[in-house]
């Protein structure tokens, strides 16, 4: 429930985030930043950053293959809680910082 951004071994940002609920957990392990998408409808998030991981419990989600992603969320009450379908919901300032991270950057998800 904590996102830490590290560059060259130095912590450059940390945020409390929302993660997958018990029935739809965010999968733990090593992955990478796969893309940066700007949906035509910016609600609930103006940016979506999929990683190379997929839900362990959902074959599909939102018309896609159940890919896990970082994305924003307007309701700040979710941060620090396990309430998502597997994605990681992040605060606006974290979303802005993550949008500058190069594609292919390693991501480590721990439980």
């Amino acid at each position: 429930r904590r996102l830490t951004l590290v560059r060259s071994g130095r912590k450059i940002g940390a945020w409390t985030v929302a993660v997958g609920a018990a029935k739809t957990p965010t999968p733990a392990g090593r992955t990478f930043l796969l893309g940066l998408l700007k949906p035509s409808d910016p609600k609930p998030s103006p940016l979506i950053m999929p990683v190379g991981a997929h839900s362990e419990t959902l074959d599909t989600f939102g018309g896609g293959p159940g890919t896990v992603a970082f994305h924003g969320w307007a309701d700040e009450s979710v941060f620090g809680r396990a309430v998502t379908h597997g994605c990681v919901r992040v605060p606006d300032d974290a979303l802005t910082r993550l949008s500058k991270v190069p594609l292919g950057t390693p991501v480590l998800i721990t439980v």
Side-chain angles (χ1 to χ4, degrees):
R1 298 180 192 181
R2 197 79 185 135
L3 168 66
T4 304
L5 186 58
V6 177
R7 183 182 335 157
S8 301
R10 277 192 13 231
K11 181 169 85 169
I12 60 172
W15 303 268
T16 300
V17 299
V19 296
K23 291 185 179 181
T24 54
T26 302
R30 295 182 183 279
T31 187
F32 61 96
L33 189 60
L34 182 64
L36 175 63
L37 308 172
K38 296 180 181 179
S40 56
D41 179 3
K43 291 182 182 180
S45 181
L47 299 172
I48 299 170
M49 286 161 274
V51 298
H54 292 84
S55 171
E56 297 169 356
T57 58
L58 301 174
D59 292 332
T60 64
F61 187 82
T67 302
V68 174
F70 294 109
H71 60 77
W73 200 255
D75 180 1
E76 294 179 8
S77 71
V78 302
F79 300 132
R81 299 175 56 208
V83 295
T84 78
H85 290 100
C87 285
V88 180
R89 297 177 187 170
V90 304
D92 290 342
D93 57 330
L95 191 66
T96 299
R97 293 288 292 275
L98 286 172
S99 71
K100 295 171 179 27
V101 172
L103 299 182
T105 295
V107 172
L108 176 61
I109 301 171
T110 59
V111 188

